[in-house]
Amino acid sequence: MKTSARNELTGKITNIIDGAVMSEVKITVSSEVTISATVTKEGIHSLGAKLNDNVTAIIKASSIIITKDAVKTTARNVLKGKVVEVIKGAINSEVKLSLGNSIISAVVTNDAIEDLSIKASEDAYAIFKASSVILIA
């Protein structure tokens, strides 16, 4: 399946916590990266997804917040990485963050790049809500 989303990370389902309507799914991408996704129980059922299955987590680059400091947040996904590239545009920039063997991209305003002084080779965090993750099997 082809998508326009910049971020597609494949991993193994390592935990599923069922609620009345929604389920939280933990996907281990690597020893450094675990992603949380919240999806409907019906969605999990229609995927046929179960523990130890491989799935791909899709996250739009515009759904990712970049920060240089570790913060406490209600977002389930706070992933530490290293900035490998900042691609400046007229209004927005793309920030590519290395998460071990994976790369995650975020689209942020140029003002934010300047305010945070985001540069290649520096540590940064990618933050996104579990509800921003779409799973495909």
Side-chain angles (χ1 to χ4, degrees), residues 24-25 35-39 74-77 128-134:
E24 181 178 16
V25 181
I35 294 173
S36 292
T38 52
V39 296
T74 59
R76 300 297 295 147
N77 298 290
F128 53 97
K129 293 172 65 171
S131 58
S132 296
V133 179
I134 296 170

Side-chain angles (χ1 to χ4, degrees), residues 5-73:
R6 299 286 297 132
N7 301 298
E8 296 185 13
L9 303 172
T10 299
K12 184 180 289 197
I13 296 176
T14 52
N15 196 11
I16 300 174
I17 302 167
D18 284 325
V21 176
M22 302 293 287
S23 296
E24 181 178 16
V25 181
K26 298 277 189 181
I27 302 103
T28 299
V29 176
S30 68
S31 60
E32 300 95 11
V33 179
T34 298
I35 294 173
S36 292
T38 52
V39 296
T40 63
K41 286 176 66 173
E42 185 178 318
I44 290 289
H45 178 71
S46 69
L47 278 177
K50 57 190 180 310
L51 283 178
N52 297 315
D53 283 354
N54 286 325
V55 294
T56 299
I58 298 175
I59 311 104
K60 289 178 58 173
S62 59
S63 296
I64 297 175
I65 296 169
I66 299 291
T67 181
K68 290 175 75 174
D69 299 312
V71 293
K72 289 189 177 193
T73 176

Side-chain angles (χ1 to χ4, degrees), residues 5-9 61-62 64-68 79-89 92-110 113 118-127:
R6 299 286 297 132
N7 301 298
E8 296 185 13
L9 303 172
S62 59
I64 297 175
I65 296 169
I66 299 291
T67 181
K68 290 175 75 174
L79 307 176
K80 184 177 182 181
K82 189 164 293 291
V83 177
V84 292
E85 188 174 15
V86 177
I87 303 167
K88 287 262 187 157
N92 292 322
S93 294
E94 180 180 11
V95 178
K96 292 186 179 183
L97 210 63
S98 172
L99 306 170
N101 295 329
S102 302
I103 299 287
I104 196 163
S105 296
V107 173
V108 298
T109 64
N110 289 340
I113 297 291
I118 295 173
K119 297 179 181 77
S121 303
E122 296 181 336
D123 289 341
Y125 295 84
I127 300 171

